[in-house]
Amino acid sequence: MPESHPAPERFPVTVDVVALTVRDGELNVLLITRLIEPFRGKLALPGGFVLAGEDLLEAAGRELAEETGVEHLPGHLEQLGSYGPKGRDPRGDVLTVAHLLLAPDFPVLAAGSDAEQAAWYPVAEVPELAFDHARILDDALERAKAKLEYSPLGAAFCGEEFTIAQLRAVYEAVWGTRLDPRNFHRKATGTPGFLEEAGRMTTGDAGRPAALFRLAPEARPTAGQPTRAVLNPPLMRPRD
Amino acid sequence: MPESHPAPERFPVTVDVVALTVRDGELNVLLITRLIEPFRGKLALPGGFVLAGEDLLEAAGRELAEETGVEHLPGHLEQLGSYGPKGRDPRGDVLTVAHLLLAPDFPVLAAGSDAEQAAWYPVAEVPELAFDHARILDDALERAKAKLEYSPLGAAFCGEEFTIAQLRAVYEAVWGTRLDPRNFHRKATGTPGFLEEAGRMTTGDAGRPAALFRLAPEARPTAGQPTRAVLNPPLMRPRD
DNA sequence: CGGCATTATTGTCAACATGACGATAAGTAC
DNA sequence: GTACTTATCGTCATGTTGACAATAATGCCG
């Protein structure tokens, strides 16, 4: 790796997080409003500088917790990719490592008046973003769509237990399609290593009560480890 | 993104490259022998520091070119992921952005006696590696296997034109499986947007001559752009 | 040249997966 | 109860996959 004698260049390194959730059938992304230049007043992805002695995922989790006021983040956090360092910040070269959070809907605390306010925005109506965050968001959406096809991570958008219909709503929101409830039910319950039955749902929902499911043990993250589990065969999104 | 007043930490940033190729039916990886501490004498992935004003892919390509003596790299280069910065280099925190090159076999120039010698090693017999490069190699192999399933990038291991059998040899080497030549032929030639016929192969090879193919236009990288093309339906590797 | 070994390519067939959609089940709202 | 709503099961035609037979087109060897 290193071999050259001149002192290596050093770069400021940030982590950004594309946090996605599904609220009333729509895919939402968490954004903050910038209070300082550059891009003051614009929306941006939550994130911040990596501190000495921190690892990337750690930093991403910390920044997200700080900016949402949420102690323990729900859902699944993974690295998306790195961008830069050239020409993405007008103040100079900054390398950013983008991350992706797939999470059930969680409330964002109101920030103090001097803090950047984080809030959920439907991805369909996201206005212009600061820096190269539009591109990062694009990549994140594509990654999320792909993840749903071949991994059990659609369930990361749901709570511990969920109905097939709730899971289907996730797929529909992320993919932006409608899926046949009957075929989806067959496929989701029929894929080995994906779901496991739990109890019963009664609630006051209209219609027949639905069975509750949870992730099968093989598909659950073990001790913080990401889950390499794979949906086989995959649950492919319709392409025309 | 940035908001804190204290000057942000700066990190040395390196790029490492996992360059893969197939030589006589075996998957090989390009490694260099380290000439300096730490890990002097050990094998490591080629790589080096990102320079000011460089982008990541650019730096990865430059380092690889420098360490192999090859001017124009063949194949497909993409970002794999970032590692660190905590505790992966005994000299201190270093962030590394790993890359993946899928390339046809190319000869590596002999380095001078004071330069680190790069050479191909069969992945099946790679000894201990420096730093966290074993983990990076693992991730790269998994990524390569997955890429072959749902992208046309298997062809990146072949030259411009190739036979179905050569392409199959790539799949077999990367996946470490044998595939039925007849079924593979049907699938490869039958997948829309994957292959396109070229001319004829005669050569002195034993057996019936094979037709030559090239990547279909939709699957070819356009102006350096990565090709988001997708194999649909995917060419799934056998899992038991 | 004729036969043999070798690889390529085309078919066939049963098992399985998918998309479209009908029919039933089991609740809530009135 | 009746109407409405959602869940779940079933059916059927079509497409895909894995196993494997058959044929095609060469080089090699005597």
Side-chain angles (χ1 to χ4, degrees):
Chain A
M1 187 199 298
E3 59 180 0
S4 42
H5 302 125
E9 202 71 32
R10 285 167 169 265
F11 297 92
V13 177
T14 61
V15 283
D16 288 319
V17 182
V18 180
L20 300 178
T21 199
V22 177
R23 326 181 85 188
D24 4 75
E26 264 197 311
L27 188 61
N28 283 51
V29 59
L30 192 72
L31 299 172
I32 56 112
T33 305
R34 287 182 60 81
L35 294 178
I36 59 168
E37 293 297 347
F39 298 105
R40 178 175 181 157
K42 281 245 151 110
L43 290 171
L45 297 173
F49 289 105
V50 175
L51 306 179
E54 248 183 352
D55 255 325
L56 294 169
L57 218 59
E58 209 174 324
R62 173 185 52 75
E63 282 292 343
L64 202 48
E66 281 176 21
E67 304 200 56
T68 57
V70 174
E71 188 104 10
H72 290 299
L73 288 168
H76 163 86
L77 181 64
E78 68 174 35
Q79 188 183 116
L80 177 61
S82 300
Y83 298 80
K86 196 171 72 183
R88 45 179 306 282
D89 189 319
R91 291 164 299 182
D93 289 352
V94 179
L95 180 70
T96 196
V97 185
H99 290 74
L100 178 62
L101 177 81
L102 311 180
D105 189 8
F106 62 88
V108 173
L109 297 195
S113 63
D114 60 335
E116 313 195 296
Q117 180 60 56
W120 293 110
Y121 294 81
V123 292
E125 314 159 15
V126 167
E128 231 185 316
L129 296 182
F131 305 102
D132 55 352
H133 289 184
R135 171 154 137 61
I136 296 176
L137 176 57
D138 260 10
D139 291 349
L141 294 176
E142 184 51 39
R143 168 82 69 95
K145 287 177 192 173
K147 277 270 164 187
L148 261 54
E149 294 194 315
Y150 57 84
S151 88
L153 284 171
F157 286 102
C158 302
E160 183 73 15
E161 296 190 347
F162 47 87
T163 67
I164 300 292
Q166 287 164 359
L167 185 61
R168 175 164 50 84
V170 167
Y171 276 78
E172 293 183 331
V174 174
W175 286 347
T177 352
R178 315 238 88 228
L179 300 172
D180 183 293
R182 299 160 289 191
N183 290 338
F184 184 84
H185 188 281
R186 176 182 57 193
K187 179 71 178 162
T189 57
T191 301
F194 187 15
L195 301 180
E196 172 180 273
E197 221 157 340
R200 255 282 178 192
M201 170 178 228
T202 193
T203 71
D205 293 353
R208 170 175 169 178
L212 282 169
F213 290 82
R214 69 172 75 86
L215 269 183
E218 317 89 279
R220 247 169 303 188
T222 328
Q225 289 319 294
T227 225
R228 249 184 194 182
V230 153
L231 251 42
N232 187 32
L235 213 165
M236 300 282 283
R237 67 184 125 155
R239 344 213 174 205
D240 20 31
Chain B
M1 188 199 299
E3 60 179 0
S4 42
H5 302 125
E9 202 71 32
R10 286 169 168 264
F11 297 92
V13 177
T14 61
V15 283
D16 289 318
V17 181
V18 180
L20 300 178
T21 198
V22 176
R23 327 181 85 188
D24 359 77
E26 265 198 310
L27 188 62
N28 283 50
V29 59
L30 191 72
L31 298 173
I32 57 111
T33 305
R34 288 181 59 80
L35 294 178
I36 59 167
E37 294 295 344
F39 298 104
R40 178 173 183 160
K42 280 245 150 112
L43 291 172
L45 298 172
F49 289 105
V50 175
L51 307 178
E54 247 182 352
D55 254 325
L56 294 169
L57 219 58
E58 210 175 323
R62 174 185 52 75
E63 283 291 344
L64 202 48
E66 282 177 21
E67 304 201 55
T68 57
V70 174
E71 189 105 8
H72 291 299
L73 288 168
H76 164 84
L77 182 63
E78 69 175 33
Q79 188 185 115
L80 176 61
S82 300
Y83 297 81
K86 195 171 75 181
R88 45 179 304 282
D89 189 319
R91 292 162 299 182
D93 289 352
V94 179
L95 181 70
T96 196
V97 185
H99 290 75
L100 179 61
L101 177 81
L102 310 181
D105 190 7
F106 62 88
V108 173
L109 297 193
S113 63
D114 61 335
E116 311 196 296
Q117 179 60 56
W120 293 110
Y121 295 81
V123 293
E125 315 160 13
V126 167
E128 232 185 315
L129 296 182
F131 304 103
D132 54 354
H133 289 184
R135 173 154 134 62
I136 296 176
L137 176 56
D138 260 10
D139 291 349
L141 294 176
E142 184 50 41
R143 168 82 69 96
K145 288 178 193 175
K147 277 271 165 189
L148 261 54
E149 294 193 314
Y150 56 85
S151 89
L153 285 171
F157 286 103
C158 304
E160 183 74 15
E161 298 190 346
F162 47 87
T163 67
I164 300 292
Q166 287 164 359
L167 185 62
R168 176 165 49 84
V170 167
Y171 277 78
E172 293 183 329
V174 175
W175 286 347
T177 351
R178 314 240 83 231
L179 299 172
D180 183 294
R182 299 159 290 187
N183 291 337
F184 184 85
H185 188 281
R186 175 182 58 192
K187 179 72 177 160
T189 58
T191 300
F194 187 16
L195 299 180
E196 174 179 271
E197 220 156 341
R200 255 285 178 190
M201 171 177 229
T202 194
T203 71
D205 292 356
R208 172 176 169 179
L212 282 170
F213 290 81
R214 70 171 76 85
L215 268 185
E218 316 91 277
R220 247 168 300 183
T222 329
Q225 288 320 296
T227 225
R228 249 188 193 182
V230 152
L231 251 41
N232 187 31
L235 212 166
M236 301 281 285
R237 70 185 123 155
R239 340 213 177 206
D240 26 29

